[in-house]
Amino acid sequence: MRKGLYVAWMLIPLMLMLALCPAVGQGESSYSAWLPYWVLDDAMDEAEALSGQLDMLVAFAAILDENDHPFLLDETETLLLAMQRAFGKERVALSVVNDVQVAQGEYVNKTTDPLGRLFADEEAMNQHIARLLTLVDTYELAGLEIDYENIKDDAALWAQYAVFIQKLYEQMKAEGLTLRVVLSWDAPRYVSLPEGPEYVVMCYNLYGYHSGPGPKADFSFLNETAQLYASVPDEVSMAFATGGFEWVNGSVVSALTQVQAEELLAQQGVTPRRDEDSGALYAQFELDGEIHIVWYADGETLARWCAHMQEKGFESFDFFRLGGNVLSDWEQTVLSLQPTAVETAGMEATPSEAALGV
């Protein structure tokens, strides 16, 4: 009896410790953000203000020349070096995208034409990897992010890409470097992804240039994405898009940052509403006889998207992009992961059935 009581008393501190510690899988979230070269100053200002809450910052981006060689535009090099000075080389990665400079000042965006050549065989892959690692050495990078997009449902190209990812990861790991790979939301439908890299999933483009009005993501879309990536090996980071778009008579006329969207609506004297099925804000107004519809994400939207994916087991999040965001809003919402009540000051919540353009 005495021995049993002794064991019970000894277990009490352990039980209290376990009760107070977070459960496995409920650790703190990590946040990363992309800084694009075309808004260098604004992106750097935001990154410096938010640097305490961001785990990694990604310089966007290196592109390919007409010979399929990766290189940095002058603006990108300026951005990358400024980021390394401000935040330390260990926190900065460089993104490489499949945009191609075909002539001075002329570009083709997100084209798969060079990918077939870069992944054609082992020799081609090794040459491309060598050139990527030259970038790493030149700029003393701690990591690379590969963001080759628009592969869509090309299963053969996906298979080649997977081999390339595996080879690049093995070489970078051997040199103590990190590798991130940006993927479309539906990539697991077409390819089995190799273990090792951190995968970054583009949870956006649900509505945009290709469609009528709507949010960049909604919860149904996020559910489908989460299900597809539930069995993907290693760490998966969910990336969300900031800002939004303005449609006029059903067609996109401009992309908008959060700041631009809020300034536009303030000029028109319009108060946005929040869509319950996406967390995004939307508004409509008439100008010169034309119907304008605006959808955009604020910090509350991003917080709801993050919280939704946390419930699905994901704890890492990326934001595209810095530049044009309301930092006071972000600090109170997404970067604290404490979404405010649906009824926010000056913003009326409304069922998505009444949402514009849906």
Side-chain angles (χ1 to χ4, degrees), residues 118-136:
L118 294 174
F119 308 153
D121 52 35
E122 186 172 2
E123 181 180 359
M125 291 184 190
N126 288 339
Q127 287 179 348
H128 187 46
I129 289 171
R131 294 186 180 111
L132 291 171
L133 292 178
T134 296
L135 277 183
V136 171

Side-chain angles (χ1 to χ4, degrees), residues 13-269:
L14 177 61
M15 293 171 68
L16 287 172
M17 180 180 72
L18 291 174
L20 293 172
C21 291
V24 175
Q26 295 181 351
E28 293 185 1
S29 297
S30 64
Y31 302 98
S32 302
W34 285 297
L35 284 71
Y37 67 84
W38 58 87
V39 287
L40 190 158
D41 292 336
D42 285 348
M44 281 296 298
D45 287 346
E46 290 188 15
E48 288 171 356
L50 301 174
S51 63
Q53 293 104 318
L54 298 172
D55 298 276
M56 178 175 287
L57 300 108
V58 182
F60 194 90
I63 64 174
L64 304 174
D65 65 17
E66 65 276 12
N67 297 312
D68 301 336
H69 297 176
F71 78 104
L72 273 64
L73 296 169
D74 291 344
E75 301 95 319
T76 308
E77 182 176 60
T78 299
L79 171 65
L80 174 62
L81 297 177
M83 291 171 63
Q84 290 178 324
R85 287 192 299 270
F87 311 117
K89 294 178 180 178
E90 70 281 355
R91 291 178 63 195
V92 175
L94 173 66
S95 188
V96 185
V97 301
N98 55 324
D99 293 355
V100 177
Q101 180 178 264
V102 294
Q104 190 65 35
E106 295 183 20
Y107 308 94
V108 179
N109 296 327
K110 297 180 176 61
T111 173
T112 58
D113 289 346
L115 301 185
R117 297 187 294 271
L118 294 174
F119 308 153
D121 52 35
E122 186 172 2
E123 181 180 359
M125 291 184 190
N126 288 339
Q127 287 179 348
H128 187 46
I129 289 171
R131 294 186 180 111
L132 291 171
L133 292 178
T134 296
L135 277 183
V136 171
D137 293 339
T138 300
Y139 295 101
E140 300 180 336
L141 299 168
L144 276 180
E145 176 183 271
I146 304 301
D147 183 7
Y148 295 160
E149 299 181 27
N150 212 26
I151 299 175
K152 297 182 179 179
D153 60 352
D154 189 338
L157 186 55
W158 274 116
Q160 292 173 297
Y161 191 21
V163 174
F164 169 77
I165 291 170
Q166 183 66 52
K167 291 174 66 66
L168 176 60
Y169 170 73
E170 290 173 355
Q171 291 202 35
M172 293 190 66
K173 181 183 178 183
E175 298 188 25
L177 303 168
T178 61
L179 175 64
R180 291 158 50 97
V181 180
V182 178
L183 297 171
S184 60
W185 72 275
D186 59 348
R189 289 179 175 173
Y190 312 112
V191 64
S192 295
L193 297 162
E195 294 185 18
E198 176 185 357
Y199 293 107
V200 182
V201 184
M202 296 184 292
C203 300
Y204 46 85
N205 293 335
L206 181 61
Y207 293 87
Y209 287 110
H210 62 286
S211 73
K216 290 188 175 182
D218 63 22
F219 298 125
S220 177
F221 169 69
L222 295 181
N223 288 342
E224 190 172 0
T225 303
Q227 185 174 8
L228 285 170
Y229 279 88
S231 59
V232 169
D234 298 301
E235 184 177 2
V236 175
S237 181
M238 294 296 173
F240 302 120
T242 62
F245 295 98
E246 177 187 8
W247 285 260
V248 177
N249 296 334
S251 298
V252 170
V253 294
S254 60
L256 300 172
T257 65
Q258 179 186 359
V259 169
Q260 290 169 335
E262 293 183 357
E263 288 178 348
L264 173 63
L265 297 183
Q267 290 169 2
Q268 298 302 320

